[in-house]
Amino acid sequence: MYRTHTCGALRIENCGEQVTLAGWIQTIRKFGSITFVDLRDRYGITQLLFGETLNKQLEETPLGREFVLQVNGTVTERSNKNKNIPTGDIEITLTSFTILNKSETPPFTIQDDTDGGDDLRMKYRYLDLRRNAIKKNIELRYAVNRSARNYLHENGFIDIETPYLIKSTPEGARDFIVPSRMNEGEFYALPQSPQTFKQLLMVSGYDKYFQIVKCFRDEDLRADRQPEFTQIDCEMSFVEQEDILTMFENLVKRIFKDVKSIDYTAPIERMTWEEAMWQYGIDKPDTRFGMQLCNLKFPQHSFPTKENISAIIKSDFAVFNDAETVIAIAVPNASDYTRKQTDELTEWVKRPQIGMKGLVFIKCNTDGTYKSSIDKFFTPVQLKNIATTCHANSGDLILILAGAEEKTRKAIAELRLEMGKKLGLRKDNEFKLLWIIDFPLFEYAEEENRWVARHHPFTSPKPSDIETMINNSPIIENAADYLKHPYANIKANAYDLVLNGNEIGGGSIRIYQKELQQKMFEALGMNQVEQQHKFGFLLGAFEYGAPPHGGIAFGFDRLCAILGGSESIRDFIAFPKNNSGRDVMIDAPSTVDEKQLNELQLMLNTKQ
Ligand code: ASP
């Protein structure tokens, strides 16, 4: 038997017991004629005491960090107790030891605060995974997985696997493709998600499906994206939006309970996409704090019915006058920001990622006066009016951005999050869920002058918008006026679940009638031939009794990262890829040999 106990098991009550442990050497501390070793395994760390006799043996068989050691000995009470670890009251007074395997000196320390940089840790990920900090993330991931499985199983869902080698079908991102040896000149694609398969399972009558499944998207990797990632993918038949929202907010609440012991009893707020965009500038707002946006000047094309309040900012200030939009936030209790601090914020909004030309601020001083960076252009009464419009209180700092609508809204949304962070309003241990509903069905793709599906082509329009979709041609006559096209106002039966400013899940009620699905494909610019070529199987299935259905998919990696209080999904994936999509440990992707290429009938067009 290799071990009687793990390195995390023994306590003061075990004193006097003869035990055998096995694990890795974390540290070695020599004190004259005795040596202490910390032995580590998945379960914890136990201190070993090498007395005089064994200590002598160490001269012939020296130990090293990360050696795999098996030891026999007696559990003894420690004189110098360590309150920081559960086994800290005891140590093992050894009677014998065996080195099961030696180790090279590891390239970085296997400790919570390691000295290894990201690249090194990725190259030696199998060592990084030994670190407690990563191990607890991997364990948390398993806990989330188990909790989700239990909940879904208890609610009648069954786990059905769907294929990874599928057909290349446009679903938004770029496909990874895989050449087929047996079918010369033909390719499979890896699924961006099991979307069409789960819908086909509904046609087959499996009315509650789930899968914790890998998805593959060949996208340029923005920060913290992975080319392969995991979804908790679900679909149900005979449901309306309300059924889905209830079923899956309870799933997330259950995960909170099981994994974090949090009773999330508060009702989950629902916000329309339009409200989110106007109040927060983003479709996944972090509502743990307020600081809502205030529009001081509306773009001409939006909300014609809304009163345009630009009158209050009438002045000679060209920055506001020339801008399409002027948007403000009132930052609570920040009117005492120094010149240096406001300068830093200005630099922050000018960074290329944000891309604004400058930042205007108004300090609402506690003595009732106003001090702003635009004092030259605005009277104190005007400043006061702006402050009132922004619902700013005395002591607040108003920050204002002006420019093109989309860019400015995005930028102020980022600035709001940044200020939330600075003010400590985005706490890791506070969780706020939010449904965003009523998304637009379409988005306008400027480069192609056509509509694209905002979610995916299988999402249904709101029943009240079906007529508009059927009775109007998708053609956009004048690109500049695309917002006037009836399609711009069609709403989708789609919903996203947002947690602390992150989209953790998204889904929709699907189209299940062949004609409407064809109309949708047509709206996206696909002719009959293309429709048959790409989605003939789905249109065919819809001829054989497709039930009304809908579903959702959760970003499993992201959900784990948020629950673990981290911003990086990589720390929650055992073997992640780096920012260039490489696995630097196994060195993939890599070239293949000539023979493999020949078998696949492939020739590389490598540039000389
Ligand atoms: N397949 C969708 C996605 O990956 C989710 C869904 O609509 O259920 O975003």
Side-chain angles (χ1 to χ4, degrees), residues 319 345-359 400-415:
V319 174
L345 287 180
T346 308
E347 286 315 307
W348 192 88
V349 301
K350 282 182 171 172
R351 294 176 324 151
Q353 301 96 303
I354 307 292
M356 299 306 291
K357 291 214 180 75
L359 173 73
I400 308 175
L401 293 178
E405 161 65 13
E406 220 181 289
K407 190 172 175 182
T408 308
R409 194 164 295 280
K410 245 194 187 144
I412 195 103
E414 291 292 334
L415 182 62

Side-chain angles (χ1 to χ4, degrees), residues 171 192-193 195 198 217 231 233-235 455-456 506-508 510 551-553:
E171 208 192 298
Q192 294 182 26
S193 83
Q195 184 60 39
K198 65 175 173 174
R217 295 183 191 175
Q231 286 187 342
D233 189 44
C234 309
E235 195 78 5
H455 184 215
H456 53 51
S508 60
R510 326 296 184 189
I552 191 165

Side-chain angles (χ1 to χ4, degrees), residues 312 361-364 370-375 377-389 398 400:
I312 67 151
F361 66 83
I362 303 172
K363 292 176 177 176
C364 309
Y370 296 90
K371 175 88 196 97
S372 80
S373 56
I374 43 172
D375 282 351
F377 301 97
F378 292 88
T379 63
V381 172
Q382 278 180 308
L383 293 179
K384 185 167 190 257
N385 280 341
I386 295 178
T388 311
T389 309
I398 300 174
I400 308 175

Side-chain angles (χ1 to χ4, degrees), residues 160-377:
I160 308 177
E161 287 161 84
T162 50
Y164 279 166
L165 294 176
I166 66 163
K167 182 188 175 80
S168 182
T169 50
E171 208 192 298
R174 194 180 294 114
D175 284 331
F176 277 105
I177 57 167
V178 182
S180 162
R181 182 183 56 80
M182 288 190 289
N183 302 277
E184 199 179 304
E186 292 186 313
F187 297 83
Y188 300 101
L190 301 180
Q192 294 182 26
S193 83
Q195 184 60 39
T196 45
F197 287 97
K198 65 175 173 174
Q199 291 192 242
L200 293 173
L201 285 170
M202 295 305 113
V203 179
S204 310
Y206 296 87
D207 64 345
K208 286 178 173 178
Y209 142 96
F210 89 101
Q211 199 182 176
I212 299 183
V213 63
K214 273 285 170 74
C215 302
F216 306 87
R217 295 183 191 175
D218 188 5
E219 291 174 297
D220 294 336
L221 298 177
R222 275 182 276 142
D224 211 28
R225 287 272 182 109
Q226 288 279 310
E228 51 177 310
F229 60 95
T230 305
Q231 286 187 342
I232 308 175
D233 189 44
C234 309
E235 195 78 5
M236 299 170 80
S237 293
F238 306 114
V239 284
E240 288 166 350
Q241 178 163 304
E242 197 54 43
D243 303 308
I244 302 260
L245 300 195
T246 308
M247 176 64 80
F248 292 102
E249 59 187 44
N250 287 337
L251 165 67
V252 176
K253 286 180 177 179
R254 169 70 172 269
I255 293 173
F256 273 124
K257 181 97 190 86
D258 289 350
V259 178
K260 303 287 291 182
S261 305
I262 292 175
D263 262 320
Y264 197 109
T265 45
I268 297 175
E269 194 191 336
R270 294 180 190 180
M271 190 183 285
T272 66
W273 175 84
E274 211 159 86
E275 279 165 351
M277 293 308 285
W278 282 99
Q279 292 171 5
Y280 298 94
I282 196 167
D283 59 5
K284 46 180 180 176
D286 184 346
T287 47
R288 281 174 298 180
F289 64 103
M291 228 190 275
Q292 291 183 3
L293 315 191
C294 172
N295 287 270
L296 297 176
K297 182 176 177 184
F298 290 99
Q300 284 304 308
H301 55 69
S302 35
F303 284 99
T305 52
K306 267 208 176 168
E307 187 194 350
N308 195 322
I309 53 173
S310 53
I312 67 151
I313 57 166
K314 247 199 169 69
S315 79
D316 294 336
F317 189 44
V319 174
F320 283 0
N321 294 345
D322 299 346
E324 192 181 11
T325 314
V326 180
I327 315 178
I329 49 172
V331 184
N333 306 318
S335 67
D336 56 357
Y337 257 44
T338 59
R339 175 68 193 264
K340 185 162 170 272
Q341 285 173 300
T342 48
D343 281 354
E344 272 167 14
L345 287 180
T346 308
E347 286 315 307
W348 192 88
V349 301
K350 282 182 171 172
R351 294 176 324 151
Q353 301 96 303
I354 307 292
M356 299 306 291
K357 291 214 180 75
L359 173 73
V360 168
F361 66 83
I362 303 172
K363 292 176 177 176
C364 309
N365 296 324
T366 42
D367 63 5
T369 61
Y370 296 90
K371 175 88 196 97
S372 80
S373 56
I374 43 172
D375 282 351
K376 266 201 282 186
F377 301 97

